[in-house]
Amino acid sequence: MCFGGRVQFRGRAIEFYEVGTKWMIQRLPNGQFTLALTLGHTILGQTAASLDVARMHETVHVAQYERWGPFFLTAYFLSSTYMWLTGRRIYRDNPFEREAYETD
Ligand SMILES: [Zn+2]
């Protein structure tokens, strides 16, 4: 792609990985530990191998996006906020992440 990355189609998602996406993911908070992330039907991964490891988890997020539509990001953020306000972990206790990790 334009940043030297690669693209592939898997299931209902398009996946981008390597150079540009790897560079971007590594600059996110905890990015060095992030294999991939999902935005709608787009999955961004650091490498092809990281996508292979994370694909089942990220596919659950694709289904969540389909279920919640334009409200997904707001619902995800509010869920994390509620977890934080109630003393739980904002990421691992978020119901959207718990559902995704149940498939791992
Ligand atoms: Zn997740």
Side-chain angles (χ1 to χ4, degrees):
M1 303 306 294
C2 57
F3 297 108
R6 306 194 63 182
V7 62
Q8 62 190 12
F9 292 90
R10 294 287 186 273
R12 300 186 312 273
I14 182 170
E15 299 177 343
F16 294 92
Y17 59 102
E18 297 296 345
V19 183
T21 54
K22 183 175 186 175
W23 182 90
M24 184 196 73
I25 290 171
Q26 290 183 348
R27 276 147 187 83
L28 295 172
N30 294 316
Q32 67 271 32
F33 305 112
T34 302
L35 296 175
L37 59 91
T38 299
L39 299 167
H41 288 85
T42 302
I43 300 173
L44 307 177
Q46 293 211 30
T47 64
S50 67
L51 284 167
D52 288 343
V53 171
R55 186 165 293 113
M56 286 183 65
H57 179 97
E58 300 305 326
T59 299
V60 172
H61 288 317
V62 171
Q64 292 168 341
Y65 269 102
E66 291 173 342
R67 204 176 315 136
W68 285 80
F71 304 107
F72 176 77
L73 288 178
T74 300
Y76 186 100
F77 175 77
L78 289 175
S79 293
S80 285
T81 301
Y82 181 74
M83 293 302 123
W84 177 69
L85 290 172
T86 55
R88 290 177 269 183
R89 299 170 297 179
I90 63 172
Y91 176 73
R92 285 304 294 253
D93 290 331
N94 182 316
F96 294 103
E97 291 302 336
R98 285 203 323 264
E99 179 186 14
Y101 278 106
E102 286 172 5
T103 66
D104 288 347

